[in-house]
Amino acid sequence: MTTDLTEYGPWAVIAGGSEGVGEAFAHRLAAAGLNLVLVARKEGPLRATAEAVRAVHGVEVEALALDLLLPDALDRIRGVTDGREVGLLVYNAGANTYGHEFVTCDLERTREVLDLNVTRQLELTHHYGAAMKDRGRGGLLLVGSLAGYVGQPEISVYAAAKAFARVFAEGLWSELQPYGVHVLHLVLGVTRTPAMERAGLRLDLPGLAVDEPDAVVEAGLTHLPQGPVLVMPGNDQLVLARGGLDRAKLVTRAAEGHRRLVGGS
């Protein structure tokens, strides 16, 4: 089933919208008629994507070259979006910026991993989610990673940040569901993107399931109305081994238990 994306308009913000999965989101949303604000650190790929989306789909596109690690990043993005109705936030900016054994790591660089994957995501979700709740519609799509299902050496903080993002999205889904705001944590496995290729990952290993950005985007947008978590098909067995798949049922049961404990109905 194809989701009617017009309910998430007229504007969408894509953080990490210059290439790979972000670029695929830009084209898919623009094809549905949504205007876009694309935010990314690298100005060259960002401008190229913005120009291509305008030329192909004829929508309005604002391109903001911005390092999301800057403490005033939200204010800079609001400088572009205030006065525009943002019906969808796609947070696709959570890359691993630093890998190292934790006890000998550079703590400042570790904090940057948390700022990008946790702090900035919370700030943007808080700002745009509040307006969506007031309007009674909208979507928050937070792109995650299988790394968030198990601790791993040298990326322990990154994996923990992804776990945080998933659990946060589950709680947010439960809170916003009664107000018509859709929340989805989209869990990616190995995906063919320029970032993966630059990292030198071996995507040609026998038996390795590799997703294409267009397939990731279609799966995420189709599942967005259901929430709260979608693991890209093909990774099911890995996730089952790391804690289970039916997150909606689990979160709903936990919410009911919490309400009983605090005396709610």
Side-chain angles (χ1 to χ4, degrees):
M1 178 186 294
T2 301
T3 302
D4 179 9
L5 299 178
T6 58
E7 68 176 296
Y8 301 115
W11 285 86
V13 172
I14 306 176
S18 62
E19 58 183 21
V21 172
E23 179 183 6
F25 267 115
H27 279 282
R28 180 67 182 86
L29 294 171
L34 275 66
N35 302 308
L36 304 176
V37 175
L38 305 180
V39 183
R41 183 173 58 86
K42 295 182 179 178
E43 186 164 6
L46 176 66
R47 300 295 175 190
T49 295
E51 290 170 8
V53 170
R54 287 191 202 99
V56 173
H57 305 289
V59 298
E60 292 184 61
V61 182
E62 296 282 355
L64 178 61
L66 174 67
D67 186 345
L68 287 168
L69 290 175
L70 293 173
D72 65 343
L74 174 60
D75 291 337
R76 296 192 186 200
I77 298 171
R78 287 190 59 182
V80 177
T81 63
D82 279 3
R84 290 171 166 154
E85 185 176 320
V86 174
L88 177 65
L89 169 67
V90 177
Y91 197 87
N92 178 54
N96 183 35
T97 56
Y98 179 59
H100 202 283
E101 178 192 50
F102 179 71
V103 295
T104 58
C105 75
D106 179 337
L107 272 178
E108 187 54 41
R109 295 198 64 188
T110 297
R111 289 189 186 98
E112 290 179 352
V113 174
L114 293 174
D115 284 343
L116 181 61
N117 286 278
V118 176
T119 307
R120 213 61 67 232
Q121 182 174 198
L122 292 182
E123 290 175 351
L124 290 170
T125 302
H126 181 265
H127 173 68
Y128 294 108
M132 293 174 191
K133 178 183 175 183
D134 288 343
R135 286 195 300 269
R137 67 178 186 88
L140 300 164
L141 198 158
L142 312 177
V143 178
S145 168
L146 281 174
Y149 281 88
V150 64
Q152 298 170 60
E154 299 188 357
I155 60 166
S156 58
V157 173
Y158 172 72
K162 289 303 186 185
F164 172 94
R166 187 188 77 250
V167 176
F168 164 66
E170 290 173 349
L172 189 65
W173 171 80
S174 185
E175 290 176 354
L176 293 179
Q177 198 177 26
Y179 301 95
V181 179
H182 301 154
V183 179
L184 177 67
H185 184 76
L186 176 60
V187 181
L188 305 191
V190 179
T191 308
R192 196 182 313 279
T193 67
M196 289 279 192
E197 292 168 357
R198 284 193 298 270
L201 297 182
R202 297 181 59 192
L203 303 184
D204 58 348
L205 290 174
L208 180 66
V210 180
D211 291 314
E212 301 296 332
D214 287 341
V216 167
V217 167
E218 198 60 38
L221 292 174
T222 299
H223 195 82
L224 177 56
Q226 282 75 55
V229 175
L230 175 67
V231 178
M232 280 301 295
N235 299 289
D236 298 7
Q237 293 306 311
L238 286 172
V239 173
L240 281 170
R242 298 174 183 181
L245 279 170
D246 195 343
R247 308 302 297 185
K249 184 180 293 184
L250 181 62
V251 173
T252 299
R253 188 177 301 155
E256 291 169 351
H258 176 73
R259 284 194 291 270
R260 286 196 297 270
L261 281 172
V262 298
S265 59

